[in-house]
Amino acid sequence: MKATSDSAATGSGNRASRLLRTASGIAAVAALCIGAAPLLGVVSPSVSAAYPSWPVLLLLGLLPPALSAFFLGASRPAAARAVLLAAGALAPSALLDDVQLLVDPGLVTDPALFLRESLRPLTPSSGAWLLSAGHVLVGGAGVLAWAARAAPAGTGERSPVGRRQGLLAGVLCTAVLGAIGALLTRFVSTDPFVLTGGGPGASVPVFAGDLLLAITVVLVAGVAVSSVDADTARGGLLGLAAALAGTTVPVLGAVLFRSELSIGWGAIFELVAVAVLAVLALPAGRVVDSAPASGEIELPGLDRLSTAAGILAMLGGVLAVVAALSPQLRTADGEAGLAEYVNLRQLLVAGCVFALLGAALLFRRGRAARPALAVAWVIVVLAGAASLDIVLHVARATGAELLGFGTWLTVAAILLSGAAACCAGLAGGIERDEVDLSETTADRSQIAPTVLLGLLTIAAFTLPVLTAPDYVPLGILTEFGIASWGLLCAVLAVLVALVLVPLARGERAAGLLAGCALVLSMRALQAPLTSSGVPESAPGAGLWCALAGVVLAVGAAIRAARSRS
């Protein structure tokens, strides 16, 4: 029996090694495609890059497969797999940029691929398709590496975590820095033909790619550093650093070769993140023999995570308020804020509410608000996306110059609110681990209200809250824009919370439902806060669905708080 088991383990290990070698080969082919793209030319008529970038793109593309091959040669398959997984996780964000390149190359801002010299129309050429194929192959290599998860246990060393809380905090802070860099412009140009738009000012595919990159960097870093396997932690962080370098380092060559280009804050933040992640990969892959052999990473305590969530929420709320009160446009008459175009600001209300939620978490009696904060963080996203959409729309319509301070404060508030939600979620996970849930069952009486509330939520965020003649509001199903991303995030946040409500204990279920009520209230408030900018407006079906959802959520929360302890 033992011989049969050993034989099965050996066969599984050989299969995993073959898959990893194949994945490394695919990633190497992807690097060749990416490196050859500027040689063939990505646009037609042919436009040269800011400098001969193909060697840089090729070497950066070869970093992940080279690291994977090195770890395979050192009999570290877990590290090799983690490198390819990290690189593959960043491929979808690059593919979104490729979509813009294939649809309208004139809106692409990558001097390593081409540097526009006139306003003549451009179309994608063979190099653009080769570049997209390379990014698809990188993602495919990651999928193949994921299929190699049957690697035999024990190939990597487990890292006890008695002294790894500082490492966890360092990696997450560095990842957040890299995420902020992904949302900022990587270079600045004085050439009127060279676009440097980034963040909300970019086209929808480019902005979506930057946003996905920012989210992915934080998720990959968190998953890698929290792994109990030392090889996986080291490989994941090195793979993330290598893949992130591929999005940033090529810009440096353009800045060095072209005097009209200068480095932007996005590239600086990302380069710092790359360097720090590469350095932190060393202690992440080191086994601490003196630590307790628990096999799980020791997260900060429940109280500290709740406090961190409260502080981050307060900072995010305060930044949202400051952003709402700051000038965001420069017109011929001077600096102007959003108040000149909208009577009251959604972001101001959302920032105040979220800051108060965060302040409650700083007191022990207010810790019951933590589940609500884990859901209601999305009100900052909802209001922030709507504010950004209005500012950019006014800037385009009036020719006003966009001021970075107020705009980026809004983006920073959104990121801080997301970080607060992550801390609140981790605190909730620790609390569940400390409670005996073996005899806890789903509360079936909550299923019907949550299903109805979910339907009302979908209707509230897909139907308009205001109607008017010749008025087509931005939405999820129609006129998709920046504000639509906020609506989509709000729907998903509420639906995820509603799935957890029947499984949560009474007080926690009530907190989740209270958070849902806050999100729906913010949706309902969008009608009176924006009606002054819509002539002859009238309440829409979305408003009534949102109000009905608020009433239902509050009633269900009261019932949940009374029914179970």
Side-chain angles (χ1 to χ4, degrees):
M1 182 68 69
K2 181 178 180 181
T4 303
S5 177
D6 292 343
S7 176
T10 301
S12 177
N14 291 336
R15 175 182 175 276
S17 296
R18 287 195 300 270
L19 286 175
L20 289 175
R21 289 191 179 91
T22 303
S24 297
I26 292 174
V29 174
L32 294 176
C33 294
I34 294 171
L39 286 176
L40 296 178
V42 297
V43 293
S44 179
S46 179
V47 179
S48 61
Y51 68 104
S53 59
W54 69 267
V56 177
L57 294 175
L58 178 62
L59 291 175
L60 291 171
L62 287 173
L63 271 179
L67 286 170
S68 177
F70 170 78
F71 284 125
L72 282 174
S75 299
R76 300 283 187 182
R81 176 174 177 263
V83 168
L84 296 175
L85 282 174
L90 268 61
S93 61
L95 284 172
L96 286 172
D97 291 338
D98 294 340
V99 169
Q100 183 61 63
L101 181 62
L102 296 174
V103 172
D104 186 359
L107 297 179
V108 174
T109 59
D110 192 345
L113 296 178
F114 69 94
L115 203 62
R116 193 164 189 170
E117 299 173 348
S118 67
L119 293 178
R120 62 180 176 177
L122 300 174
T123 57
S125 64
S126 56
W129 294 101
L130 192 62
L131 182 69
S132 301
H135 292 145
V136 170
L137 289 175
V138 173
V143 172
L144 201 59
W146 176 261
R149 60 185 180 276
T155 55
E157 297 181 83
R158 291 189 173 272
S159 180
V161 291
R163 293 186 294 213
R164 296 189 67 187
Q165 291 185 14
L167 176 64
L168 175 68
V171 168
L172 290 179
C173 290
T174 304
V176 170
L177 184 67
I180 295 174
L183 295 172
L184 300 176
T185 54
R186 296 184 175 93
F187 68 96
V188 180
S189 172
T190 57
D191 189 335
F193 296 116
V194 180
L195 297 176
T196 59
S203 62
V204 172
V206 173
F207 176 59
D210 292 342
L211 187 61
L212 181 60
L213 176 63
I215 295 171
T216 305
V217 166
V218 177
L219 288 178
V220 172
V223 171
V225 75
S226 62
S227 174
V228 298
D229 184 82
D231 287 345
T232 299
R234 175 173 290 178
L237 293 181
L238 286 176
L240 178 60
L244 191 59
T247 67
T248 308
V249 173
V251 175
L252 294 181
V255 170
L256 293 174
F257 279 86
R258 304 300 291 253
S259 59
E260 68 270 24
L261 303 181
S262 57
I263 193 168
W265 284 107
I268 294 174
F269 284 0
E270 285 188 336
L271 287 172
V272 172
V274 167
V276 176
L277 286 172
V279 171
L280 292 179
L282 299 178
R286 190 178 300 133
V287 179
V288 184
D289 296 329
S290 59
S294 62
E296 291 186 0
I297 192 163
E298 181 183 331
L299 293 171
L302 176 62
D303 289 341
R304 281 183 291 170
L305 278 172
S306 297
T307 302
I311 293 174
L312 289 171
M314 287 187 63
L315 288 175
V318 169
L319 285 184
V321 171
V322 174
L325 299 175
S326 300
Q328 298 174 335
L329 295 169
R330 182 181 288 114
T331 64
D333 298 328
E335 294 183 349
L338 196 60
E340 282 77 1
Y341 303 95
V342 179
N343 190 23
L344 290 175
R345 296 185 180 185
Q346 305 171 51
L347 192 59
L348 180 64
V349 177
C352 292
V353 172
F354 197 61
L356 290 175
L357 270 178
L361 261 65
L362 300 182
F363 301 94
R364 186 167 296 276
R365 290 185 178 182
R367 295 290 167 84
R370 189 185 64 244
L373 185 144
V375 183
W377 72 277
V378 80
I379 65 175
V380 178
V381 181
L382 180 64
S387 297
L388 290 172
D389 198 285
I390 294 173
V391 169
L392 293 173
H393 177 76
V394 172
R396 296 190 189 104
T398 62
E401 181 181 350
L402 188 67
L403 294 178
F405 182 71
T407 303
W408 291 118
L409 279 181
T410 303
V411 175
I414 292 173
L415 291 174
L416 285 173
S417 65
C422 290
C423 289
L426 287 173
I430 291 177
E431 186 180 47
R432 284 190 295 273
D433 290 339
E434 294 176 353
V435 176
D436 183 12
L437 300 177
S438 58
E439 297 182 359
T440 300
T441 58
D443 186 357
R444 295 185 178 181
S445 64
Q446 288 282 12
I447 294 178
T450 54
V451 170
L452 179 57
L453 185 55
L455 294 175
L456 287 172
T457 299
I458 295 173
F461 285 96
T462 53
L463 298 175
V465 293
L466 285 177
T467 59
D470 301 325
Y471 172 63
V472 181
L474 293 175
I476 297 176
L477 303 179
T478 59
E479 294 293 325
F480 198 91
I482 296 175
S484 305
W485 289 102
L487 297 173
L488 187 59
C489 289
V491 171
L492 294 176
V494 173
L495 293 181
V496 170
L498 292 178
V499 171
L500 299 176
V501 165
L503 303 174
R505 291 173 295 140
E507 187 176 292
R508 302 299 176 248
L512 291 172
L513 288 166
C516 295
L518 284 174
V519 177
L520 288 165
S521 298
M522 182 55 61
R523 174 58 172 168
L525 281 173
Q526 286 185 325
L529 293 180
T530 58
S531 60
S532 61
V534 182
E536 301 180 22
S537 61
L543 173 61
W544 305 120
C545 291
L547 291 175
V550 172
V551 174
L552 180 59
V554 171
I558 295 174
R559 185 179 183 281
R562 291 176 176 176
S563 62
R564 292 189 295 177
S565 60

